[in-house]
Amino acid sequence: MSSLLSVSDLAKLQTSKYVNLGSLAILVFDYCITFSEEVQWTWFRSWDVTRVMFIISRYLPFAGVGMTAYDALRASNQCTSTLEGNIIHIIGIVAAEGLLIIRTWAFWQKSKRLLIGLLVYSVLTITAAIAADLSPTMLLPGEEPPLNTCYFESTRNGAVVYIFLAIFESLILFLTIYKRVRDYRDFQSGIVATLYYDGILYMLCILAITVANVIIGAALASAYSNLFDTLQLVSHSVLASRILFRLRNNNERVHEPSMSVTALEPINYLQTSPMSMSGMGTTRSEV
């Protein structure tokens, strides 16, 4: 591709910019309609790993999305560094994935082996993704952005980064389904239903956007390479937060009225009773 883009490529770039700005609108709108839930389920509670990751995944995307929007709106011949924006995107997504790991860990009854395995695999995934993104070698064949230009595009290596992310999210999804089928098939518990059905729905949405980014980055024109760049970060922030809100809401309802939950912490256990084993009781957890 020459350094000057065709009218068709410019139109594709404009479409990509509009989609990224639309993702910013989604983030702001969702924040407004879920702010009361945030106050109810996270404010005035103790600080721990879960709350730190929530705050990062909830608020850091505003900086990342804002920087991406600025990058999309600037003139194509005005080159600015995107390193800071990429770092914010990575941290925001990692924090949201951390909340999903905690949810999966809780669903697996706080299995230490599972937690260690997921953390190790998370580090390997992050390392591989960063290495692929920084690699000077093109890992996938296809059209690349023009050299020495500052258009709103990325290389094909971005698709490889999303492949690593899609594999990790598929693993989280598989672990949730496997545990439900193996141990919770006959449960009629509100907290298990929240952990499972909400988790599956939101994970499928996140995974669908990740897979879409793989396809866009690997198969479509490079002008579309950043089409869902902001949407990826926004979806992680929005859906991971909603998982946490729904879980705490359900957990509050299954507790007795006299038992107030004041600590903001991961689910400490999924304690079953003989009644719940027979499908007639509830499963309680602490959040």
Side-chain angles (χ1 to χ4, degrees):
M1 182 187 291
S2 65
S3 59
L4 295 179
L5 298 182
S6 66
V7 174
S8 176
D9 287 329
L10 290 174
K12 295 173 183 175
L13 278 176
Q14 198 66 21
T15 300
S16 181
K17 293 178 180 182
Y18 286 149
V19 171
N20 278 269
L21 292 176
S23 300
L24 173 59
I26 292 174
L27 180 64
V28 173
F29 176 74
D30 181 79
Y31 179 81
C32 292
I33 64 175
T34 60
F35 179 73
S36 60
E37 294 179 78
E38 176 185 343
V39 174
Q40 181 178 5
W41 302 120
T42 66
W43 285 28
F44 313 113
R45 302 196 180 195
S46 59
W47 284 89
D48 62 2
V49 174
T50 303
R51 188 174 183 184
V52 170
M53 286 193 294
F54 167 77
I55 292 297
I56 293 175
S57 67
R58 177 79 161 171
Y59 288 97
L60 196 60
F62 282 96
V65 172
M67 295 176 69
T68 301
Y70 173 78
D71 191 42
L73 292 173
R74 64 171 171 77
S76 298
N77 60 349
Q78 294 177 347
C79 296
T80 58
S81 174
T82 59
L83 177 61
E84 295 82 0
N86 290 338
I87 292 175
I88 290 176
H89 275 239
I90 292 172
I91 296 175
I93 290 176
V94 168
E97 294 289 351
L99 292 175
L100 298 178
I101 289 175
I102 290 178
R103 183 196 63 83
T104 305
W105 174 56
F107 200 57
W108 277 72
Q109 298 173 313
K110 291 185 62 179
S111 169
K112 292 183 179 180
R113 293 177 60 184
L114 177 77
L115 180 61
I116 293 173
L118 286 177
L119 291 178
V120 170
Y121 186 63
S122 299
V123 172
L124 294 176
T125 299
I126 295 170
T127 302
I130 293 176
D133 190 47
L134 298 179
S135 174
T137 305
M138 295 300 103
L139 303 176
L140 292 177
E143 178 189 21
E144 294 295 338
L147 297 175
N148 302 319
T149 59
C150 298
Y151 295 109
F152 189 64
E153 302 179 54
S154 299
T155 67
R156 297 286 182 189
N157 288 355
V160 179
V161 173
Y162 287 120
I163 288 175
F164 287 123
L165 183 59
I167 294 173
F168 179 80
E169 291 169 351
S170 298
L171 174 62
I172 296 291
L173 185 63
F174 169 78
L175 288 172
T176 302
I177 295 174
Y178 175 77
K179 187 66 172 178
R180 170 68 172 184
V181 172
R182 194 187 72 170
D183 294 339
Y184 297 119
R185 180 183 301 177
D186 299 324
F187 276 25
Q188 301 297 322
S189 166
I191 193 68
V192 171
T194 299
L195 278 168
Y196 180 70
Y197 291 110
D198 286 1
I200 292 296
L201 174 62
Y202 293 148
M203 276 301 305
L204 284 174
C205 293
I206 292 174
L207 182 59
I209 296 173
T210 304
V211 172
N213 272 316
V214 172
I215 296 173
I216 291 170
L220 299 187
S222 62
Y224 284 130
S225 57
N226 287 334
L227 184 66
F228 289 159
D229 183 54
T230 299
L231 185 60
Q232 183 78 44
L233 180 61
V234 169
S235 65
H236 276 79
S237 174
V238 168
L239 297 178
S241 297
R242 285 176 178 271
I243 287 176
L244 187 65
F245 296 153
R246 288 293 303 277
L247 182 61
R248 293 210 167 120
N249 178 54
N250 188 278
N251 184 70
E252 189 81 2
R253 286 189 285 108
V254 300
H255 276 69
E256 296 176 2
S258 60
M259 298 177 63
S260 62
V261 180
T262 58
L264 180 67
E265 57 187 11
I267 300 175
N268 288 328
Y269 54 83
L270 286 172
Q271 179 179 330
T272 61
S273 64
M275 290 184 64
S276 67
M277 291 295 292
S278 64
M280 297 177 60
T282 61
T283 301
R284 294 177 54 186
S285 68
E286 292 184 357
V287 180

